[in-house]
């Protein structure tokens, strides 16, 4: 514990925090421009060149607006809500490696808290605390619409945590480690064909869908429904506290995109450009750039999804989680465990994923699902209801 | 009595703790909880003075005091809160403090899982139920304890017995009943390496405790099937 260690940690935290904040501000601009592009209109393009100063204007507006605290709210919890949302999102970022940790020079570290051997569990543990921000915000507002919004949000978050956790068990079994850096190195050492996206495609799908729901992004942003329903858990929030909720949400999205890139797309590894043993001048920085590019691609994909797929209704969402994702994730774990136990060749894993996916699709579309003496019919449900005939 | 004079520190601390809890309890006559909150630091300091000794590692000590203090404070305030929502939240805080203790004693896996299960799932369910069931903070008789004195005395007796038991089992001289401060210092207990890591936990579960794990798994499976069997089937509709 020398003072240099302390200083490096402090600088790492500062760089990560500042970078995260700046990225969030500009991601909102990117999202608005992208939305405008998809809807065939101009986005914000007046402040600065091509609207590049818009985030700063937004920030100034958030700071200068009057901070209203309604008289009927529970003041303590009302203020605690957004703080918890931001705190948990930031704490989750602590163990994300944003570069090649092993090759980092001593004066520069690519992760705030290195050598955490329970990395994935830590992220889920911090994420599960994030529910408090939503629940407390909705309840403390002392408003039926906010309470209903927080109920929707927390029911959704709680139900999507299960498939989210189950989907990565396959990846963890392949690597025999919960540490993000170990998972990344395992893929990097095997080259591009060792990426988990090839061996665990179903796990990627489940992870990504659950992550969208967990971060309250469309098509699962029932808790907010900014345009259609009456707000959500943050109906009563204004100015900076409202901004804090969205800061937390965007930080969560960035964390999830980092996780997707690291768990399934090989992290900083890319064929010919950034291999595990590449040692040319500036290779470390190239690896950082590769990882950040992958993350940016995933963020853009999430933004495209937002303006492409309509919102799920509450019961459709629950059906998807409990009847679709959880059984599929459980089957996937079973396949990976069997393959690991009997040393099956690696190509059986994608085959198994495909088989589970096709089977789930057949059950879902052919539609008769017999539970004891009753038939649950999925096919007669244009609105997404499940009809049960006895 | 010889026994009392030997354990005067422990008994005094427990009496102080009980008095503090009594002062913090909401009651009909007294509105303010300020005396209780004023006494709180004294109680915490007394607890620390009796049971804790610095080990020499400054950072570790500070972390230990923070985590332990959070746990004790969270527990105290959870018991004495008038509003059930606050009580549930203080329960979460106490859980976080205990998880801090786990981390200090090199059991990060246990800490993370405890947070997920208790703070992330169970307390959230509590908060849900309280928020749904609670109409205008409940009635007056629900908001004050019925037997505060008896509850405090019995609780403190229980804590004292447990502490004495721990001291008797783990202390250096098991025949002596007086509180040896170094023996009761939690972070001075030696912890086996690797026991708290995911690999260590898995190894221990699937070798030493295999039968218990299988039994618990079977019970959980039976409970799940039972829940599905009991759950009412709706003729129409989805939720």
């Amino acid at each position: 514990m020398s003072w240099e260690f302390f200083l490096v940690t402090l600088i790492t935290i500062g760089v990560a925090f500042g970078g995260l904040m700046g990225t969030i501000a500009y991601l909102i601009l990117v999202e608005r421009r992208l939305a405008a592009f998809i809807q065939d209109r101009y986005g914000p393009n007046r402040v600065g060149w091509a609207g590049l100063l818009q985030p700063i204007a937004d920030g100034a507006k958030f700071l200068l607006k009057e901070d209203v605290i309604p008289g009927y709210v529970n003041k303590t919890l009302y203020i605690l809500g957004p703080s918890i949302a931001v705190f948990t999102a930031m704490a989750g970022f602590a163990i994300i490696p944003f570069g090649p940790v092993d090759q980092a020079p001593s004066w520069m570290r690519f992760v705030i808290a290195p050598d955490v051997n329970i990395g994935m569990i830590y992220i889920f543990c911090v994420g599960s605390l994030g529910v408090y921000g939503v629940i407390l915000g909705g309840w403390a507002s002392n408003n039926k619409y906010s309470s209903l919004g927080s109920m929707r949000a927390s029911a959704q978050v709680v139900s999507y945590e299960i498939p989210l956790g189950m989907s990565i068990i396959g990846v963890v079994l392949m690597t025999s480690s919960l540490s993000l850096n170990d998972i990344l190195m395992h893929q990097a050492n095997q080259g591009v064909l060792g990426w988990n996206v090839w061996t665990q495609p179903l796990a990627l799908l489940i992870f990504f869908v659950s992550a969208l729901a967990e971060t309250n992004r469309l098509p699962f942003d029932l808790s907010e429904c900014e345009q259609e329903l009456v707000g959500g858990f943050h109906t009563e929030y204004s100015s900076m506290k409202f901004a804090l909720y969205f800061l937390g949400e965007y930080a969560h999205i960035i964390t999830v995109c980092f996780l997707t890139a690291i768990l399934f797309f090989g992290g900083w590894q890319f064929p010919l450009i950034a291999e595990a043993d590449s040692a040319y001048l500036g290779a470390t920085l190239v690896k950082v750039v590769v990882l950040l590019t992958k993350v940016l691609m995933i963020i853009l994909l999430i933004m495209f999804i937002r303006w492409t797929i309509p919102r799920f209704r509450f019961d459709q969402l629950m059906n998807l989680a409990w009847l679709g994702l959880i059984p599929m994730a459980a089957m996937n774990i079973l396949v990976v465990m069997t393959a690991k136990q009997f040393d099956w060749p690696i190509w059986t894993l994608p085959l198994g994923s495909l088989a589970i996916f096709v089977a789930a699709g057949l059950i879902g579309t052919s539609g008769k699902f017999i539970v004891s003496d009753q038939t649950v019919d999925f096919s007669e449900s244009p609105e997404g209801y499940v009809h049960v005939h006895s | 009595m010889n026994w009392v004079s030997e354990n005067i520190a422990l008994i005094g601390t427990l009496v102080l703790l009980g008095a503090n809890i009594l002062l913090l309890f909401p009651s009909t006559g007294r509105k303010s909880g300020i005396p209780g909150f004023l006494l709180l630091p004294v109680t915490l300091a007394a607890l620390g003075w009796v049971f804790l000794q610095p080990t020499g590692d400054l950072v570790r000590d500070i972390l230990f005091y923070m985590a332990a203090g959070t746990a004790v404070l969270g527990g105290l305030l959870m018991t004495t809160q008038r509003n059930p929502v606050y009580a549930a939240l203080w329960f979460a805080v106490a859980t976080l403090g205990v998880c801090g203790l786990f981390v200090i004693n090199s059991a990060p896996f246990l800490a993370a899982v405890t947070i997920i299960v208790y703070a992330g799932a169970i307390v959230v369910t509590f908060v849900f139920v309280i928020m749904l069931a609670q109409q205008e903070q409940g009635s007056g008789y629900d908001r004050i304890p019925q037997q505060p004195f008896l509850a405090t005395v019995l609780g403190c007796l229980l804590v004292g017995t447990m502490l004495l038991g721990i001291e008797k089992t783990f202390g250096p001289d098991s025949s002596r009943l007086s509180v040896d401060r170094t023996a009761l210092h939690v972070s001075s207990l030696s912890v086996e390496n690797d026991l708290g890591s995911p690999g260590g936990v898995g190894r221990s579960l699937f070798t030493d405790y295999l039968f218990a794990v299988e039994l618990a798994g079977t019970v959980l499976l039976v409970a799940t099937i039972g829940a599905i069997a009991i759950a009412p089937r709706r003729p129409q509709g989805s939720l």
Side-chain angles (χ1 to χ4, degrees):
Chain A
M1 286 283 182
S2 63
W3 65 271
E4 286 157 346
F5 178 83
F6 188 68
L7 199 69
V8 168
T9 312
L10 220 58
I11 291 174
T12 316
I13 291 176
V15 168
F17 190 76
L20 196 63
M21 289 293 129
T23 317
I24 289 169
Y26 274 90
L27 275 184
I28 293 172
L29 177 69
V30 169
E31 172 138 34
R32 290 171 72 184
R33 293 301 298 254
L34 207 68
F37 165 70
I38 290 178
Q39 296 171 340
D40 196 16
R41 58 179 169 85
Y42 297 113
N45 61 355
R46 294 301 174 91
V47 191
W49 182 74
L52 275 181
L53 293 181
Q54 183 71 44
I56 295 164
D58 285 348
K61 191 176 160 190
F62 274 131
L63 282 174
L64 294 177
K65 269 210 164 187
E66 188 189 357
D67 196 15
V68 181
I69 298 183
Y72 45 81
V73 299
N74 185 331
K75 225 172 188 173
T76 321
L77 300 185
Y78 181 79
I79 295 170
L80 200 63
S83 343
I84 292 180
V86 172
F87 170 75
T88 54
M90 295 297 153
F93 205 75
I95 61 149
I96 306 269
F98 40 92
V101 176
D102 301 338
Q103 300 158 21
S106 59
W107 47 269
M108 188 158 86
R109 279 179 14 205
F110 288 122
V111 60
I112 295 172
D115 303 330
V116 178
N117 61 355
I118 53 158
M120 290 310 302
I121 303 184
Y122 171 80
I123 288 188
F124 290 146
C125 137
V126 173
S128 72
L129 289 181
V131 191
Y132 282 102
V134 175
I135 297 185
L136 294 185
W139 185 76
S141 295
N142 202 1
N143 170 338
K144 282 195 188 65
Y145 297 106
S146 300
S147 296
L148 287 174
S150 84
M151 291 281 157
R152 282 198 304 266
S154 37
Q156 166 184 335
V157 169
V158 168
S159 62
Y160 273 93
E161 249 163 33
I162 302 169
L164 188 72
M166 284 169 90
S167 65
I168 58 124
I169 291 180
V171 176
V172 171
L173 281 174
M174 304 262 300
T175 322
S176 342
S177 172
L178 284 163
S179 158
L180 282 176
N181 197 37
D182 289 355
I183 295 174
L184 202 163
M185 284 312 290
H186 178 256
Q187 298 175 70
N189 287 332
Q190 289 184 342
V192 67
L193 287 178
W195 289 6
N196 283 326
V197 61
W198 309 123
T199 50
Q200 299 279 313
L202 185 64
L204 170 64
L205 187 73
I206 297 170
F207 179 84
F208 198 63
V209 172
S210 316
L212 282 182
E214 173 99 2
T215 51
N216 289 337
R217 289 292 294 192
L218 264 168
F220 306 107
D221 73 335
L222 300 162
S223 54
E224 284 143 28
C225 303
E226 283 162 78
Q227 307 91 13
E228 287 84 358
L229 302 182
V230 184
F233 62 90
H234 51 50
T235 312
E236 302 289 339
Y237 282 89
S238 61
S239 72
M240 208 57 210
K241 289 196 283 299
F242 178 83
L244 284 183
Y245 265 123
F246 276 85
L247 204 68
E249 194 181 309
Y250 269 88
H252 206 154
I253 290 169
I254 295 177
T255 309
V256 157
C257 292
F258 262 106
L259 279 185
T260 318
I262 289 169
L263 290 177
F264 293 99
F265 290 99
W268 44 257
Q269 200 266 338
F270 199 80
L272 302 179
I273 300 174
E275 296 284 2
D277 53 352
S278 62
Y280 52 88
L281 189 67
T284 322
L285 286 180
V286 170
K287 286 171 180 174
V288 175
V289 171
V290 167
L291 176 60
L292 293 183
T293 314
K294 284 179 184 175
V295 171
L296 183 66
M297 289 298 145
I298 299 167
I299 292 178
L300 288 181
L301 175 70
I302 288 183
M303 286 178 179
F304 269 106
I305 289 174
R306 170 166 186 178
W307 302 104
T308 309
I309 302 177
R311 179 178 297 123
F312 273 51
R313 215 182 40 226
F314 190 72
D315 52 331
Q316 294 169 328
L317 180 138
M318 287 286 157
N319 277 345
L320 181 67
W322 293 97
L323 296 180
L325 294 181
I326 293 179
M328 266 155 67
M331 289 303 293
N332 190 42
I333 295 173
L334 201 66
V335 167
V336 178
M337 276 174 153
T338 321
K340 266 285 253 200
Q341 177 67 33
F342 297 111
D343 276 333
W344 287 353
I346 202 88
W347 52 263
T348 50
L349 287 173
L351 221 62
S353 284
L354 190 70
I356 298 168
F357 189 69
V358 169
L362 283 178
I363 292 174
T365 50
S366 72
K368 295 280 189 279
F369 195 75
I370 296 172
V371 182
S372 69
D373 54 340
Q374 292 165 326
T375 317
V376 181
D377 195 341
F378 293 99
S379 61
E380 291 176 17
S381 54
E383 321 92 1
Y385 285 109
V386 175
H387 297 280
V388 181
H389 309 292
S390 49
Chain B
M1 277 195 327
N2 197 21
W3 185 84
V4 172
S5 61
E6 272 180 6
N7 292 292
I8 189 73
L10 175 67
I11 294 170
T13 317
L14 286 179
V15 168
L16 194 60
L17 181 71
N20 199 345
I21 292 177
L22 273 181
L23 276 178
L24 278 172
F25 266 143
S27 68
T28 41
R30 182 170 38 78
K31 290 280 181 241
S32 158
I34 292 173
F37 281 105
L38 285 181
L39 199 59
L40 204 57
V42 183
T43 311
L44 287 181
L47 277 172
W49 179 73
V50 172
F51 297 113
L52 310 172
Q53 278 276 298
T55 48
D57 187 346
L58 186 67
V59 177
R60 193 187 163 91
D61 275 341
I62 292 173
L63 287 176
F64 177 79
Y65 283 128
M66 278 167 60
T70 314
V72 174
L73 197 72
L76 268 177
L77 291 179
M78 185 204 101
T79 335
T80 53
Q81 276 301 314
R82 194 187 285 261
N83 187 337
V85 174
Y86 283 113
L89 293 177
W90 280 116
F91 179 33
V93 171
T95 315
L96 292 184
V98 173
C99 288
L101 290 179
F102 286 153
V103 171
I104 292 170
N105 286 296
S106 49
F109 181 76
L110 189 59
V113 169
T114 310
I115 291 184
I116 293 179
V117 171
Y118 280 93
I122 292 182
V123 180
V124 168
T125 319
F126 282 178
V127 172
F128 253 127
V129 171
I130 292 165
M131 285 175 182
L132 282 175
Q134 190 188 12
Q135 305 287 337
E136 294 299 317
Q137 305 255 319
S139 358
Y141 53 81
D142 273 343
R143 289 155 63 189
I144 56 164
Q146 300 301 309
Q147 296 279 3
F149 186 70
L150 214 56
T152 312
V153 168
L154 284 179
C156 286
L157 269 181
L158 183 67
V159 171
T161 324
M162 274 157 56
L163 288 174
L164 278 180
I166 291 172
E167 198 269 340
K168 230 181 154 182
T169 319
F170 296 107
D173 184 6
S174 303
S175 62
R176 197 164 46 91
L177 269 178
S178 73
V179 177
D180 181 1
R181 294 191 205 161
T182 48
L184 277 177
H185 187 207
V186 181
S187 55
S188 74
L189 293 177
S190 67
V191 178
E192 277 179 57
N193 256 346
D194 193 35
L195 194 68
S197 72
V201 170
R203 208 171 299 122
S204 139
L205 279 184
F206 286 99
T207 51
D208 301 343
Y209 302 102
L210 182 63
F211 181 66
V213 169
E214 296 288 340
L215 207 65
T218 317
V219 170
L220 282 178
L221 184 68
V222 169
T224 314
I225 296 172
I228 294 172
I230 294 172
R233 281 194 213 301
R234 311 276 167 87
Q236 195 84 33
S238 58
L239 286 173

